[in-house]
Amino acid sequence: MKKTVHQFLLFLLLVITGVVNAQNFTSDSRQEEKICTLIGKMTLQEKVSLLHANSKFYVSGIGRLGIPEWALSDGPHGVRAEINRHDWGYAGWTNDSATCFPPGTALAATWNPQLAYAQGLVLGEEARCRKKDVLLGPGINIIRSPLCGRNFEYMSEDPFLISKMAVAYIKALQSKDVAVSVKHWLANNQEEHRDSIDVYMSERALREIYLPGFKASVMEGGAYTVMAAYNRFRGGWCSENDYLDRQILRKEFGFKGVLMTDWSAAHSTETAALAGLDLEMGTDIKDYNEWYFADPLIRAVEKGRVPVAVVDEKVANVLRVMFKTKMLGGQAREKGKMNTPEHQQAAYNSAAEAAVLLQNNGNLLPLHFDKIRSIAVIGDNATRKHCSGGLSSEIKALYEITPLQALQQKFGAAVKINYVQGYEKQSIFKEGNNSGQSGADKVDWKLIDEAVAAARASDVAVIFGGLNHDFDTESADKKSMDLPYGQEILIQEVARANPRTVVVIIAGSPVKLSGIVYRVPSILWSWYGGMEAGNAVADLLSGKVDPSGKLPFTLPVALSQSPAHALGNFPGRDLKVNYEEDILVGYRWFDTRKIQPQFPFGYGLSYTRFSVSGVSTDRSGYGKNDTIRVRFTIKNTGSVYGAEVVQLYASEPGSSVLRPEKELKAFEKVFLKPGETRTIEMRVKVSDLAFYDESGKAWNTEAGEYILRLGNSSRDIFQEVKISVGSH
Ligand code: BGC
């Protein structure tokens, strides 16, 4: 009898807190009843056992109640190989090689949410095949500085682009009965001091820049879990931050899933419990019972410092995710599959669509391999494999095709390939600091001389340079934006020896190109390309595939142009960082302050040409609840099949507050055959033109004039249209 009353009260609590009938995380009342019944049968010890790990990546189940153990795995661009249960060593399994996708910045550079969806499906299937229940991704922190070590894992400097890609990824992955974990909540925008830095930003920057990706992930994507970041936010740890976790995530976004810590990001029992944290992972204490959400939580409940209802709420969140992913409830669950040809094709598609053609003077690219007799392939990145780097996102790829392998395999029979190393990787990665990047400025003249000789003896030279995961890595930021190991000199010397020199940049974050853009005709940015990297880049170089990627971040001429660095607030002082650039992150800064970057946000060339015409809106005046329809006609006026990404930027010139010169509000990747024409309609809600009004603590769509600009980068605008918004 007592139990039934308790269950009824718990059910009531779930109804009152909006869990039942929640919109973004639909849960039917029968399921909530089942959750209440299960909780009603649990002892306090059993409840708490669901709220902390029992090993590196697992959480205990409750056998007698049929609740299985919970299995988590990194993410975000592949399913990580199996780690030992109680230490960070690899378990040495022979069946955990996986499909490895290009990481976050590359995915975002495709500007194609369908590819994010395709990736989500593959990750879901492979996670299930490995019997995983949660995949720790996507990583969606804003790229605030070119130096952040984890930029490669993240997606963009723009919250709209992030949102579109993340929602697609999440929906697909979760459709395979695996939960995502959107990370890192919030403002983990640097690796330096990541576990102690205290981040300050205005409420407006929070709302306009740093929250939207998470909001979309939860409210549109329906993310089942979120990972709290290591850092502090406005004084409080993210894992126990009442404002972030309770007020925003739970109340405003209506999040009904599990908020877990990053690995070893818990700092308290009571504060965290009350703030809304559900699950403690990775704490660096050997005895799991001593973790904050283990025996100390039991004691806190027994002493009345944490109400049992708070523990029940957490358990309900865990069970809800288990029902959603069909761990509970008896429905047939996705069985999964690994390394199918379709999975490998999906990885190839992302790599092929991600590459950004930055420069192509005299149309040196594509290379006509039928006419070339010899090619000098130069650079450490021609032969280096990258899937296994970067720390927590490292993947034991089933295979990884390097650029040299692919070129040899595809063209080696007809074309003489003269490979030379060009530069040598000097650095050795050391976890926890960036001292591993030392040696980055060493110039090896012997290797340069060899490269020059090879270039001179060949029809064309292709230099595969850029970075590696000593630079693009978790746990350390880059020290500079420079190309390491004397590559700038190498490129200059090779280009002098052979003007038909192409540079392929393999990197996941901005690097300085000012020393090479005037020296070489063609630059292709091909990112870390995952397991199919080489095949994709060879097909791009040969023109089998048209480059259609666009930069997901601004490429500055020099670090000092970048907002956080121009204002001297990266990585902060005395373990505090104040985001003084405020809402002017990335191109919002460059375009508003009229600073000319090396290459702008959204930029990328193609082997074909497009013309956009007839840009118009369905009306000239709109009400605040209306939707604007923007139409345009696009034609492929060149001679090969290709894709253009048409981007819509909005601005409000007469605003009562400073607003960015441009803000991305819509985009569409359009694939066209030569000569083909299509008319496209984009939709923008008038309410999405709002800014966050600090004084009214609300979104404000001011009445007045707005400009909508259509372009293929934030700086290359085809046409603009003015519209007006009325006061209602
Ligand atoms: C990273 C997370 C990762 C976790 C588990 C942490 O160091 O910040 O992104 O999911 O480790 O490997």
Side-chain angles (χ1 to χ4, degrees):
M1 175 67 191
K2 220 170 138 203
K3 248 190 186 154
T4 323
V5 173
H6 179 83
Q7 278 169 27
F8 176 73
L9 287 177
L10 176 63
F11 184 61
L12 211 62
L13 175 87
L14 297 177
V15 172
I16 292 165
T17 52
V19 165
V20 179
N21 295 329
Q23 262 200 344
N24 60 347
F25 194 135
T26 45
S27 44
D28 56 82
S29 47
R30 273 196 31 235
Q31 182 184 296
E32 293 303 318
E33 268 178 53
K34 284 186 196 156
I35 290 174
C36 292
T37 309
L38 275 171
I39 295 176
K41 290 179 183 160
M42 290 179 197
T43 65
L44 179 59
Q45 278 71 11
E46 284 173 330
K47 290 176 186 174
V48 167
S49 72
L50 297 176
L51 307 181
H52 64 90
N54 66 9
S55 54
K56 286 286 175 220
F57 284 92
Y58 292 87
V59 181
S60 300
I62 305 173
R64 71 176 188 94
L65 297 177
I67 298 172
E69 191 176 54
W70 222 19
L72 292 72
S73 168
D74 281 307
H77 43 268
V79 183
R80 193 179 186 184
E82 192 70 14
I83 306 269
N84 289 332
R85 282 189 83 98
H86 302 292
D87 66 59
W88 283 105
Y90 279 101
W93 287 13
T94 50
N95 60 353
D96 56 355
S97 298
T99 298
C100 177
F101 281 85
T105 35
L107 178 62
T110 68
W111 290 63
N112 187 349
Q114 284 175 21
L115 293 178
Y117 195 87
Q119 177 171 335
L121 293 179
V122 173
L123 294 179
E125 287 175 0
E126 299 210 348
R128 281 310 304 135
C129 197
R130 288 270 313 282
K131 307 225 175 330
K132 301 298 178 194
D133 307 305
V134 184
L135 191 87
L136 306 173
I140 63 161
N141 293 94
I142 289 282
I143 295 184
R144 174 176 177 254
S145 156
L147 299 190
C148 174
R150 288 186 98 167
N151 283 342
F152 78 100
E153 270 188 79
Y154 299 154
M155 292 185 183
S156 175
E157 63 190 24
D158 181 80
F160 183 79
L161 178 56
I162 290 175
S163 301
K164 290 289 164 211
M165 302 308 283
V167 167
Y169 174 117
I170 292 165
K171 284 191 169 160
L173 201 146
Q174 293 192 160
S175 77
K176 295 289 175 182
D177 307 330
V178 178
V180 297
S181 196
V182 188
K183 64 193 191 182
H184 307 88
W185 170 260
L186 186 92
N188 184 177
N189 306 107
Q190 63 191 62
E191 289 302 281
E192 180 113 7
H193 304 308
R194 68 172 176 179
D195 47 11
S196 50
I197 194 85
D198 191 2
V199 179
Y200 289 82
M201 65 175 79
S202 73
E203 192 63 16
R204 187 171 169 206
L206 175 68
R207 301 281 166 174
E208 291 189 19
I209 307 292
Y210 295 91
L211 282 181
F214 287 97
K215 184 176 181 182
S217 295
V218 170
M219 299 188 70
E220 282 172 53
Y224 296 156
T225 91
V226 170
M227 185 191 292
Y230 284 119
N231 50 284
R232 295 177 195 254
F233 177 80
R234 295 182 186 157
W237 298 110
C238 288
S239 58
E240 53 179 59
N241 194 302
D242 186 76
Y243 185 55
L244 289 181
D245 304 344
R246 187 64 80 183
Q247 305 307 323
I248 297 180
L249 186 62
R250 300 277 182 207
K251 293 209 175 126
E252 284 185 36
F253 297 175
F255 179 60
K256 310 295 182 275
V258 168
L259 177 65
M260 70 178 75
T261 63
D262 199 338
W263 268 234
S264 199
H267 294 273
S268 69
T269 299
E270 265 172 71
T271 315
L274 298 175
L277 181 74
D278 298 314
L279 179 61
E280 179 185 8
M281 297 300 298
T283 301
D284 214 3
I285 297 176
K286 213 164 176 212
D287 182 350
Y288 299 98
N289 294 323
E290 287 175 20
W291 286 21
Y292 297 104
F293 271 21
D295 289 352
L297 182 56
I298 295 173
R299 287 197 292 273
V301 173
E302 284 166 352
K303 294 199 170 130
R305 294 198 305 264
V306 172
V308 74
V310 168
V311 171
D312 289 351
E313 180 198 5
K314 298 179 194 316
V315 174
N317 292 340
V318 171
L319 296 179
R320 194 170 302 113
V321 175
M322 289 186 167
F323 273 107
K324 286 284 155 201
T325 51
K326 302 185 186 151
M327 291 176 72
L328 294 174
Q331 290 181 63
R333 198 174 183 201
E334 168 75 35
K335 287 195 175 61
K337 46 192 168 195
M338 299 274 289
N339 299 314
T340 66
E342 292 76 24
H343 291 187
Q344 289 152 14
Q345 182 67 41
Y348 169 87
N349 293 347
S350 282
E353 273 196 46
V356 182
L357 183 60
L358 293 176
Q359 181 163 292
N360 197 19
N361 298 340
N363 293 329
L364 176 56
L365 288 176
L367 299 174
H368 299 284
F369 281 92
D370 48 341
K371 298 195 182 112
I372 295 172
R373 281 159 304 150
S374 57
I375 174 170
V377 174
I378 300 166
D380 182 80
N381 271 342
T383 56
R384 184 161 297 281
K385 297 185 177 180
H386 296 284
C387 288
S388 61
L391 269 189
S392 63
S393 67
E394 64 200 22
I395 303 299
K396 181 170 149 192
L398 181 68
Y399 62 82
E400 179 175 348
I401 309 284
T402 66
L404 182 62
Q405 274 171 349
L407 288 169
Q408 274 163 340
Q409 196 245 316
K410 287 173 191 266
F411 308 107
V415 176
K416 182 161 188 305
I417 296 178
N418 301 314
Y419 171 70
V420 284
Q421 197 184 356
Y423 65 91
E424 193 178 357
K425 175 180 176 294
Q426 304 284 339
S427 49
I428 298 164
F429 180 71
K430 290 199 195 115
E431 196 178 337
N433 59 41
N434 57 11
S435 64
Q437 293 169 21
S438 56
D441 46 8
K442 186 161 176 254
V443 181
D444 189 328
W445 279 101
K446 192 174 154 284
L447 293 181
I448 292 178
D449 288 346
E450 270 172 35
V452 165
R456 203 167 274 142
S458 308
D459 291 346
V460 181
V462 182
I463 304 175
F464 291 89
L467 303 174
N468 54 50
H469 285 302
D470 289 350
F471 299 86
D472 283 320
T473 181
E474 183 185 342
S475 106
D477 291 329
K478 289 189 294 182
K479 286 178 179 165
S480 78
M481 251 176 65
D482 295 347
L483 285 170
Y485 323 123
Q487 285 180 64
E488 214 175 86
I489 299 174
L490 166 76
I491 293 166
Q492 291 168 0
E493 294 298 317
V494 168
R496 219 196 307 260
N498 187 341
R500 289 165 59 79
T501 292
V502 176
V503 172
V504 178
I505 297 287
I506 293 176
S509 61
V511 293
K512 186 157 88 51
L513 298 180
S514 56
I516 65 165
V517 280
Y518 298 111
R519 313 293 181 110
V520 294
S522 299
I523 305 174
L524 180 73
W525 189 298
S526 78
W527 313 99
Y528 301 113
M531 68 200 296
E532 284 284 335
N535 284 332
V537 81
D539 289 346
L540 286 151
L541 290 173
S542 72
K544 185 174 176 201
V545 173
D546 179 54
S548 64
K550 304 280 178 183
L551 288 177
F553 49 64
T554 307
L555 254 183
V557 175
L559 192 60
S560 57
Q561 285 189 322
S562 219
H565 299 272
L567 299 174
N569 56 37
F570 183 94
R573 276 177 291 277
D574 302 329
L575 300 182
K576 282 201 175 111
V577 58
N578 186 16
Y579 290 7
E580 283 162 58
E581 71 281 4
D582 202 47
I583 53 161
L584 296 184
V585 174
Y587 69 92
R588 286 167 165 78
W589 164 267
F590 282 81
D591 288 2
T592 309
R593 295 274 185 254
K594 314 256 181 288
I595 300 165
Q596 185 68 41
Q598 192 74 64
F599 293 105
F601 174 79
Y603 172 84
L605 304 171
S606 154
Y607 294 152
T608 186
R609 288 184 310 279
F610 300 93
S611 77
V612 170
S613 59
V615 181
S616 65
T617 50
D618 58 333
R619 297 192 338 236
S620 58
Y622 294 88
K624 290 193 173 172
N625 296 318
D626 289 344
T627 296
I628 308 161
R629 290 154 189 251
V630 184
R631 296 185 121 217
F632 63 92
T633 300
I634 179 163
K635 180 172 186 191
N636 181 344
T637 58
S639 55
V640 294
Y641 178 78
E644 178 62 297
V645 179
V646 180
Q647 303 153 38
L648 188 154
Y649 296 90
S651 68
E652 188 199 356
S655 171
S656 61
V657 296
L658 172 83
R659 297 207 65 179
E661 171 75 13
K662 294 187 199 87
E663 289 178 271
L664 184 70
K665 295 294 170 190
F667 63 85
E668 181 88 26
K669 188 164 193 175
V670 191
F671 290 83
L672 294 168
K673 294 194 221 76
E676 192 183 349
T677 300
R678 269 176 67 195
T679 297
I680 305 283
E681 184 178 282
M682 286 175 168
R683 293 176 183 205
V684 180
K685 284 192 196 145
V686 171
S687 56
D688 287 342
L689 301 178
F691 67 92
Y692 187 80
D693 193 342
E694 297 253 1
S695 54
K697 294 211 177 318
W699 290 94
N700 183 351
T701 321
E702 287 181 316
E705 188 177 272
Y706 290 78
I707 304 177
L708 307 179
R709 296 185 172 94
L710 240 62
N712 61 358
S713 88
S714 84
R715 290 285 173 117
D716 299 282
I717 301 299
F718 315 127
Q719 202 179 319
E720 61 178 52
V721 186
K722 289 193 176 127
I723 56 142
S724 66
V725 171
S727 40
H728 297 289

